[in-house]
Amino acid sequence: MRKPLYAANWKMNKTGAETRMFFEKFLSQVQPSSDADIMIAPPFTSIIDAIDSDESERIIIAAQNMHFEAAGAFTGEISARMLNELGCSAVILGHSERRHVFGENDVMINKKIVTAIDAGLMPLFCVGEKLGQRELGKTQEILETQVSEGLKGIPEKDLAELVIAYEPVWAIGTGRTATPDQAQEAHLYIRSLLSTLYSNDLSNATRILYGGSVKPSNISELMDQPDVDGVLVGGASLEPDSFAAIVIHD
Ligand code: PGA
């Protein structure tokens, strides 16, 4: 059985003080449970506030990005070791905003996944097609390239912690969610890719999250899909009430 994972991607939102306020309210609404994992990815500058606020370590604290090199002349970048030292245990890699706003490509994302695994950080690897690609019937082709290039050269034994997030670009921040059937179809396809590239065991064990305009009103129908193992939430994760409603949905 795959354990559900509810992940929040705060993007460039929340100062340290705002992070502390969020945690106080959020933790008072969500009971500790071993049935599901909760992850929150604050901006780099608020990670320490998130870690300090989560004394009982109920939440997986993640970064939203990371450089693949260990150190060096990379102005504005953050290394895996810096995240390790803060107490971060996961990192979002290949988010569509990193790909399409900041020009990250599959080769860079592949290097980042390798670096994260080496550093013991759980990689939350994002893939997804743009609207034009879906309309041209290219969704599977795009997912195939992103998944196979992103995981290139990584042996199966290193992928025990891998989480994949399917985030159709046209559904991110637009209010336009993929239908549960569209999400299920894409997730099943990603699972079939993992079987072909690796094994049925890895394919069955890997959590695949859906992301793109997830909110309290659509979480249940998405989570009802057999291959949707959790969600990656942007806008609706910024308020403690709405992220708590997503985590504790029926
Ligand atoms: P959204 O963002 O929930 O605001 O659509 C999701 C994401 O970018 O991970």
Side-chain angles (χ1 to χ4, degrees):
M1 264 303 281
R2 296 180 294 265
K3 197 180 197 183
L5 170 59
Y6 300 92
N9 172 14
W10 283 356
K11 310 190 181 185
M12 197 172 72
N13 293 289
K14 294 198 191 293
T15 64
E18 288 163 349
T19 298
R20 287 173 185 270
M21 266 157 35
F22 177 98
F23 269 77
E24 200 183 313
K25 282 198 187 150
F26 179 72
L27 290 177
S28 71
Q29 294 183 49
V30 176
Q31 299 308 314
S33 158
S34 52
D35 298 341
D37 288 331
I38 304 174
M39 177 190 288
I40 295 182
F44 290 128
T45 47
S46 300
I47 287 176
I48 196 69
D49 299 275
I51 287 172
D52 284 354
S53 305
D54 180 32
E55 270 170 22
S56 52
E57 299 185 5
R58 281 157 57 184
I59 314 286
I60 299 168
I61 308 294
Q64 299 172 16
N65 182 29
M66 179 199 79
H67 198 272
F68 50 80
E69 293 288 355
F74 302 104
T75 302
E77 294 291 330
I78 297 283
S79 73
R81 201 158 68 89
M82 293 169 188
L83 298 177
N84 281 146
E85 195 182 280
L86 281 179
C88 225
S89 47
V91 59
I92 299 175
L93 297 172
H95 187 275
S96 79
E97 285 144 23
R98 299 301 318 169
R99 290 177 188 265
H100 303 304
V101 182
F102 297 101
E104 287 190 15
N105 58 36
D106 292 326
V107 174
M108 294 161 77
I109 295 161
N110 174 249
K111 288 184 186 170
K112 290 182 181 204
I113 297 174
V114 171
T115 300
I117 292 168
D118 281 352
L121 294 165
M122 173 197 285
L124 202 171
F125 167 36
C126 303
V127 295
E129 81 288 359
K130 292 178 170 177
L131 182 58
Q133 295 166 330
R134 173 165 282 265
E135 286 172 349
L136 288 171
K138 291 192 164 171
T139 300
Q140 294 196 345
E141 195 184 311
I142 297 296
L143 294 177
E144 210 245 306
T145 304
Q146 291 178 341
V147 171
S148 59
E149 294 296 310
L151 299 179
K152 199 170 192 165
I154 306 179
E156 178 162 343
K157 67 171 178 42
D158 288 352
L159 294 177
E161 290 235 296
L162 174 74
V163 177
I164 295 182
Y166 168 63
E167 298 205 302
V169 180
W170 47 272
I172 297 177
T174 58
R176 187 176 159 188
T177 322
T179 64
D181 286 350
Q182 285 172 323
Q184 169 60 22
E185 191 186 9
H187 285 222
L188 194 58
Y189 180 66
I190 293 169
R191 223 176 273 296
S192 77
L193 288 172
L194 293 174
S195 291
T196 313
L197 293 168
Y198 292 98
S199 67
N200 287 340
D201 283 352
L202 186 84
S203 164
N204 288 330
T206 302
R207 291 186 283 189
I208 305 178
L209 314 186
Y210 168 77
S213 299
V214 174
K215 37 191 180 264
S217 59
N218 60 23
I219 181 69
S220 298
E221 58 184 21
L222 288 163
M223 291 301 290
D224 279 348
Q225 303 304 310
D227 288 287
V228 175
D229 306 313
V231 284
L232 179 56
V233 191
S237 73
L238 293 174
E239 290 303 323
D241 294 0
S242 80
F243 191 48
I246 287 170
V247 171
I248 54 184
H249 70 94
D250 290 329

